[in-house]
Amino acid sequence: MLSSGKRRLFSALLHVQKRPCQPSRAMRLVQFQTPHLEGPHLGLESGIGGGVVDLNTFDPTLPKTMLQFLEQGETALSVARRALATQLPVLPRSQVTFLAPVTRPDKVVCVGMNYADHCKEQNVRVPKEPIIFSKFSSSIVGPYDEIILPPESEEVDWEVELAVIIGKKGKHIKATDAMAHVAGFTVAHDVSARDWQMRRNGKQWLLGKTFDTFCPLGPALVTRDSITDPHNLKICCRVNGEVVQSSSTNQMVFKTEELIAWVSQFVTLYPGDIILTGTPPGVGVFRKPPVFLKKGDEVQCEIEEIGVIVNKVV
């Protein structure tokens, strides 16, 4: 018999599968493990909520981590395209453990107050320049892993975000060239300890954003050519089944191209780098009274055409 948590996860995945929002033959790259395979493997998710094709079985010369795959660029992508066009055995979803699409990136870049409706929620002006902060890569966990409440915080909050994954190295990238540097997109949860973000540590955001498990990602890296329009996607967050955030990525103040151009002025972007592009309104801290995550809660972050991640709070 399924536990109540697993039943909710299963029903959430069924809900996403029923939505006809995935483009035909979309490339959905994943990192996964099974009890019968040694270490992580690369795969193709066969549709939102579907099983997994093992790319390393299809071509044993492929690397087994997404970071190395992205570093190989077009050479590796061409192999994945051949696999996508071939009828291959699919591992049932129940037999695999999904990892974050990218682990141990060089950097995780985050953007604050990047949704016009989120700025309105806070009664603040829309920024004239991107507000940039970061998370450490040690905060990354998989799409169905647990979020651990740190004993140091009593104000842990939710933030669903569209994440951009860099596929090509670049510095001083022009906005007109930026999409050529994008491998694809995934769903991110920018878990935030508001007490540390807003009051402690001189009100610097870093510590409140980067506790372990504070960056669930997944379930797949959906390649940029598989997304209809990354800046016109439904985005939502549910806590224990209740919708708490619901918006569209068309509310983003600075789009993907502008963010890449801005960030690459200061730092070199490398394959596997992740950019979290901001969150829409509905976060807990601005509710009256404020609401924060507690042990036993379940958070579902969903973006149209990309999928849903489901994380239990422990």
PDB file of all heavy atoms in Angstrom, residues 290-312:
ATOM      1  N   PRO A 290       2.124  36.007   7.997  1.00  0.00           N
ATOM      2  CA  PRO A 290       3.071  35.195   7.227  1.00  0.00           C
ATOM      3  C   PRO A 290       2.875  33.700   7.476  1.00  0.00           C
ATOM      4  O   PRO A 290       2.474  33.289   8.577  1.00  0.00           O
ATOM      5  CB  PRO A 290       4.434  35.668   7.737  1.00  0.00           C
ATOM      6  CG  PRO A 290       4.186  37.034   8.277  1.00  0.00           C
ATOM      7  CD  PRO A 290       2.806  36.990   8.850  1.00  0.00           C
ATOM      8  N   VAL A 291       3.158  32.891   6.448  1.00  0.00           N
ATOM      9  CA  VAL A 291       3.065  31.430   6.543  1.00  0.00           C
ATOM     10  C   VAL A 291       4.406  30.846   6.133  1.00  0.00           C
ATOM     11  O   VAL A 291       4.981  31.256   5.118  1.00  0.00           O
ATOM     12  CB  VAL A 291       1.950  30.882   5.625  1.00  0.00           C
ATOM     13  CG1 VAL A 291       1.898  29.359   5.705  1.00  0.00           C
ATOM     14  CG2 VAL A 291       0.607  31.497   5.981  1.00  0.00           C
ATOM     15  N   PHE A 292       4.905  29.885   6.915  1.00  0.00           N
ATOM     16  CA  PHE A 292       6.185  29.262   6.595  1.00  0.00           C
ATOM     17  C   PHE A 292       6.034  27.746   6.569  1.00  0.00           C
ATOM     18  O   PHE A 292       5.071  27.189   7.109  1.00  0.00           O
ATOM     19  CB  PHE A 292       7.253  29.687   7.605  1.00  0.00           C
ATOM     20  CG  PHE A 292       7.511  31.178   7.603  1.00  0.00           C
ATOM     21  CD1 PHE A 292       7.106  31.965   8.663  1.00  0.00           C
ATOM     22  CD2 PHE A 292       8.121  31.780   6.510  1.00  0.00           C
ATOM     23  CE1 PHE A 292       7.307  33.339   8.649  1.00  0.00           C
ATOM     24  CE2 PHE A 292       8.338  33.147   6.485  1.00  0.00           C
ATOM     25  CZ  PHE A 292       7.931  33.933   7.560  1.00  0.00           C
ATOM     26  N   LEU A 293       6.999  27.092   5.906  1.00  0.00           N
ATOM     27  CA  LEU A 293       6.953  25.639   5.785  1.00  0.00           C
ATOM     28  C   LEU A 293       7.205  24.985   7.131  1.00  0.00           C
ATOM     29  O   LEU A 293       7.989  25.474   7.947  1.00  0.00           O
ATOM     30  CB  LEU A 293       7.988  25.169   4.758  1.00  0.00           C
ATOM     31  CG  LEU A 293       7.722  25.598   3.306  1.00  0.00           C
ATOM     32  CD1 LEU A 293       8.904  25.237   2.417  1.00  0.00           C
ATOM     33  CD2 LEU A 293       6.443  24.961   2.784  1.00  0.00           C
ATOM     34  N   LYS A 294       6.539  23.846   7.321  1.00  0.00           N
ATOM     35  CA  LYS A 294       6.704  23.095   8.559  1.00  0.00           C
ATOM     36  C   LYS A 294       6.900  21.623   8.226  1.00  0.00           C
ATOM     37  O   LYS A 294       6.617  21.173   7.099  1.00  0.00           O
ATOM     38  CB  LYS A 294       5.494  23.282   9.474  1.00  0.00           C
ATOM     39  CG  LYS A 294       4.180  22.804   8.881  1.00  0.00           C
ATOM     40  CD  LYS A 294       3.007  23.143   9.762  1.00  0.00           C
ATOM     41  CE  LYS A 294       1.699  22.581   9.201  1.00  0.00           C
ATOM     42  NZ  LYS A 294       1.410  23.037   7.849  1.00  0.00           N
ATOM     43  N   LYS A 295       7.380  20.883   9.190  1.00  0.00           N
ATOM     44  CA  LYS A 295       7.615  19.453   9.011  1.00  0.00           C
ATOM     45  C   LYS A 295       6.339  18.756   8.547  1.00  0.00           C
ATOM     46  O   LYS A 295       5.265  18.995   9.084  1.00  0.00           O
ATOM     47  CB  LYS A 295       8.108  18.838  10.318  1.00  0.00           C
ATOM     48  CG  LYS A 295       8.429  17.360  10.236  1.00  0.00           C
ATOM     49  CD  LYS A 295       8.906  16.831  11.575  1.00  0.00           C
ATOM     50  CE  LYS A 295       9.174  15.327  11.521  1.00  0.00           C
ATOM     51  NZ  LYS A 295       9.625  14.808  12.841  1.00  0.00           N
ATOM     52  N   GLY A 296       6.473  17.929   7.520  1.00  0.00           N
ATOM     53  CA  GLY A 296       5.336  17.189   6.985  1.00  0.00           C
ATOM     54  C   GLY A 296       4.693  17.836   5.778  1.00  0.00           C
ATOM     55  O   GLY A 296       3.901  17.188   5.074  1.00  0.00           O
ATOM     56  N   ASP A 297       5.004  19.106   5.504  1.00  0.00           N
ATOM     57  CA  ASP A 297       4.453  19.760   4.319  1.00  0.00           C
ATOM     58  C   ASP A 297       5.013  19.123   3.045  1.00  0.00           C
ATOM     59  O   ASP A 297       6.112  18.558   3.040  1.00  0.00           O
ATOM     60  CB  ASP A 297       4.803  21.250   4.305  1.00  0.00           C
ATOM     61  CG  ASP A 297       3.973  22.065   5.290  1.00  0.00           C
ATOM     62  OD1 ASP A 297       2.964  21.547   5.793  1.00  0.00           O
ATOM     63  OD2 ASP A 297       4.352  23.231   5.560  1.00  0.00           O
ATOM     64  N   GLU A 298       4.258  19.247   1.966  1.00  0.00           N
ATOM     65  CA  GLU A 298       4.717  18.796   0.655  1.00  0.00           C
ATOM     66  C   GLU A 298       4.571  19.949  -0.333  1.00  0.00           C
ATOM     67  O   GLU A 298       3.499  20.549  -0.448  1.00  0.00           O
ATOM     68  CB  GLU A 298       3.895  17.604   0.182  1.00  0.00           C
ATOM     69  CG  GLU A 298       4.358  17.040  -1.154  1.00  0.00           C
ATOM     70  CD  GLU A 298       3.499  15.863  -1.586  1.00  0.00           C
ATOM     71  OE1 GLU A 298       2.450  16.091  -2.216  1.00  0.00           O
ATOM     72  OE2 GLU A 298       3.884  14.723  -1.275  1.00  0.00           O
ATOM     73  N   VAL A 299       5.657  20.263  -1.040  1.00  0.00           N
ATOM     74  CA  VAL A 299       5.667  21.376  -1.979  1.00  0.00           C
ATOM     75  C   VAL A 299       5.791  20.835  -3.398  1.00  0.00           C
ATOM     76  O   VAL A 299       6.681  20.041  -3.689  1.00  0.00           O
ATOM     77  CB  VAL A 299       6.832  22.343  -1.682  1.00  0.00           C
ATOM     78  CG1 VAL A 299       6.727  23.565  -2.596  1.00  0.00           C
ATOM     79  CG2 VAL A 299       6.838  22.770  -0.224  1.00  0.00           C
ATOM     80  N   GLN A 300       4.889  21.270  -4.263  1.00  0.00           N
ATOM     81  CA  GLN A 300       4.936  20.918  -5.677  1.00  0.00           C
ATOM     82  C   GLN A 300       5.191  22.187  -6.482  1.00  0.00           C
ATOM     83  O   GLN A 300       4.415  23.144  -6.394  1.00  0.00           O
ATOM     84  CB  GLN A 300       3.613  20.298  -6.128  1.00  0.00           C
ATOM     85  CG  GLN A 300       3.232  19.030  -5.393  1.00  0.00           C
ATOM     86  CD  GLN A 300       1.847  18.548  -5.782  1.00  0.00           C
ATOM     87  OE1 GLN A 300       1.203  19.109  -6.659  1.00  0.00           O
ATOM     88  NE2 GLN A 300       1.376  17.516  -5.118  1.00  0.00           N
ATOM     89  N   CYS A 301       6.277  22.207  -7.224  1.00  0.00           N
ATOM     90  CA  CYS A 301       6.592  23.329  -8.122  1.00  0.00           C
ATOM     91  C   CYS A 301       6.433  22.847  -9.549  1.00  0.00           C
ATOM     92  O   CYS A 301       7.034  21.841  -9.933  1.00  0.00           O
ATOM     93  CB  CYS A 301       8.025  23.821  -7.879  1.00  0.00           C
ATOM     94  SG  CYS A 301       8.288  24.561  -6.240  1.00  0.00           S
ATOM     95  N   GLU A 302       5.656  23.556 -10.332  1.00  0.00           N
ATOM     96  CA  GLU A 302       5.314  23.096 -11.683  1.00  0.00           C
ATOM     97  C   GLU A 302       5.466  24.220 -12.695  1.00  0.00           C
ATOM     98  O   GLU A 302       5.077  25.365 -12.438  1.00  0.00           O
ATOM     99  CB  GLU A 302       3.876  22.576 -11.709  1.00  0.00           C
ATOM    100  CG  GLU A 302       3.440  22.053 -13.060  1.00  0.00           C
ATOM    101  CD  GLU A 302       2.033  21.482 -13.052  1.00  0.00           C
ATOM    102  OE1 GLU A 302       1.398  21.445 -11.977  1.00  0.00           O
ATOM    103  OE2 GLU A 302       1.577  21.077 -14.140  1.00  0.00           O
ATOM    104  N   ILE A 303       6.028  23.893 -13.857  1.00  0.00           N
ATOM    105  CA  ILE A 303       6.106  24.826 -14.973  1.00  0.00           C
ATOM    106  C   ILE A 303       5.638  24.104 -16.231  1.00  0.00           C
ATOM    107  O   ILE A 303       6.075  22.992 -16.525  1.00  0.00           O
ATOM    108  CB  ILE A 303       7.533  25.384 -15.171  1.00  0.00           C
ATOM    109  CG1 ILE A 303       8.014  26.093 -13.885  1.00  0.00           C
ATOM    110  CG2 ILE A 303       7.563  26.352 -16.351  1.00  0.00           C
ATOM    111  CD1 ILE A 303       9.426  26.630 -13.977  1.00  0.00           C
ATOM    112  N   GLU A 304       4.763  24.752 -16.940  1.00  0.00           N
ATOM    113  CA  GLU A 304       4.207  24.214 -18.178  1.00  0.00           C
ATOM    114  C   GLU A 304       5.333  23.797 -19.129  1.00  0.00           C
ATOM    115  O   GLU A 304       6.342  24.493 -19.249  1.00  0.00           O
ATOM    116  CB  GLU A 304       3.348  25.303 -18.820  1.00  0.00           C
ATOM    117  CG  GLU A 304       2.609  24.898 -20.068  1.00  0.00           C
ATOM    118  CD  GLU A 304       1.781  26.046 -20.637  1.00  0.00           C
ATOM    119  OE1 GLU A 304       1.974  27.207 -20.222  1.00  0.00           O
ATOM    120  OE2 GLU A 304       0.941  25.765 -21.505  1.00  0.00           O
ATOM    121  N   GLU A 305       5.147  22.639 -19.766  1.00  0.00           N
ATOM    122  CA  GLU A 305       6.065  22.048 -20.745  1.00  0.00           C
ATOM    123  C   GLU A 305       7.338  21.471 -20.120  1.00  0.00           C
ATOM    124  O   GLU A 305       8.082  20.766 -20.791  1.00  0.00           O
ATOM    125  CB  GLU A 305       6.460  23.048 -21.846  1.00  0.00           C
ATOM    126  CG  GLU A 305       5.292  23.520 -22.686  1.00  0.00           C
ATOM    127  CD  GLU A 305       5.726  24.358 -23.872  1.00  0.00           C
ATOM    128  OE1 GLU A 305       6.898  24.305 -24.268  1.00  0.00           O
ATOM    129  OE2 GLU A 305       4.856  25.081 -24.429  1.00  0.00           O
ATOM    130  N   ILE A 306       7.589  21.756 -18.852  1.00  0.00           N
ATOM    131  CA  ILE A 306       8.819  21.263 -18.229  1.00  0.00           C
ATOM    132  C   ILE A 306       8.507  20.155 -17.230  1.00  0.00           C
ATOM    133  O   ILE A 306       9.155  19.114 -17.249  1.00  0.00           O
ATOM    134  CB  ILE A 306       9.595  22.415 -17.552  1.00  0.00           C
ATOM    135  CG1 ILE A 306       9.992  23.454 -18.600  1.00  0.00           C
ATOM    136  CG2 ILE A 306      10.849  21.874 -16.843  1.00  0.00           C
ATOM    137  CD1 ILE A 306      10.688  24.668 -18.042  1.00  0.00           C
ATOM    138  N   GLY A 307       7.516  20.342 -16.364  1.00  0.00           N
ATOM    139  CA  GLY A 307       7.152  19.289 -15.441  1.00  0.00           C
ATOM    140  C   GLY A 307       6.951  19.794 -14.030  1.00  0.00           C
ATOM    141  O   GLY A 307       6.798  20.994 -13.781  1.00  0.00           O
ATOM    142  N   VAL A 308       6.938  18.850 -13.097  1.00  0.00           N
ATOM    143  CA  VAL A 308       6.674  19.154 -11.701  1.00  0.00           C
ATOM    144  C   VAL A 308       7.721  18.481 -10.820  1.00  0.00           C
ATOM    145  O   VAL A 308       8.140  17.360 -11.106  1.00  0.00           O
ATOM    146  CB  VAL A 308       5.246  18.700 -11.298  1.00  0.00           C
ATOM    147  CG1 VAL A 308       5.048  17.208 -11.476  1.00  0.00           C
ATOM    148  CG2 VAL A 308       4.929  19.108  -9.863  1.00  0.00           C
ATOM    149  N   ILE A 309       8.142  19.179  -9.787  1.00  0.00           N
ATOM    150  CA  ILE A 309       8.996  18.570  -8.763  1.00  0.00           C
ATOM    151  C   ILE A 309       8.194  18.554  -7.463  1.00  0.00           C
ATOM    152  O   ILE A 309       7.404  19.462  -7.194  1.00  0.00           O
ATOM    153  CB  ILE A 309      10.340  19.303  -8.593  1.00  0.00           C
ATOM    154  CG1 ILE A 309      10.155  20.753  -8.167  1.00  0.00           C
ATOM    155  CG2 ILE A 309      11.140  19.241  -9.903  1.00  0.00           C
ATOM    156  CD1 ILE A 309      11.472  21.501  -7.909  1.00  0.00           C
ATOM    157  N   VAL A 310       8.381  17.516  -6.685  1.00  0.00           N
ATOM    158  CA  VAL A 310       7.592  17.305  -5.476  1.00  0.00           C
ATOM    159  C   VAL A 310       8.549  16.998  -4.334  1.00  0.00           C
ATOM    160  O   VAL A 310       9.267  15.999  -4.372  1.00  0.00           O
ATOM    161  CB  VAL A 310       6.590  16.150  -5.649  1.00  0.00           C
ATOM    162  CG1 VAL A 310       5.693  16.023  -4.430  1.00  0.00           C
ATOM    163  CG2 VAL A 310       5.752  16.332  -6.915  1.00  0.00           C
ATOM    164  N   ASN A 311       8.556  17.860  -3.318  1.00  0.00           N
ATOM    165  CA  ASN A 311       9.521  17.725  -2.237  1.00  0.00           C
ATOM    166  C   ASN A 311       8.824  17.790  -0.877  1.00  0.00           C
ATOM    167  O   ASN A 311       8.097  18.734  -0.581  1.00  0.00           O
ATOM    168  CB  ASN A 311      10.571  18.841  -2.314  1.00  0.00           C
ATOM    169  CG  ASN A 311      11.268  18.876  -3.664  1.00  0.00           C
ATOM    170  OD1 ASN A 311      10.919  19.679  -4.518  1.00  0.00           O
ATOM    171  ND2 ASN A 311      12.239  17.988  -3.867  1.00  0.00           N
ATOM    172  N   LYS A 312       9.067  16.746  -0.087  1.00  0.00           N
ATOM    173  CA  LYS A 312       8.527  16.678   1.274  1.00  0.00           C
ATOM    174  C   LYS A 312       9.445  17.455   2.211  1.00  0.00           C
ATOM    175  O   LYS A 312      10.676  17.425   2.078  1.00  0.00           O
ATOM    176  CB  LYS A 312       8.445  15.213   1.705  1.00  0.00           C
ATOM    177  CG  LYS A 312       7.790  14.946   3.043  1.00  0.00           C
ATOM    178  CD  LYS A 312       6.283  15.023   2.945  1.00  0.00           C
ATOM    179  CE  LYS A 312       5.618  14.596   4.253  1.00  0.00           C
ATOM    180  NZ  LYS A 312       5.717  13.131   4.469  1.00  0.00           N
TER     181      LYS A 312
END
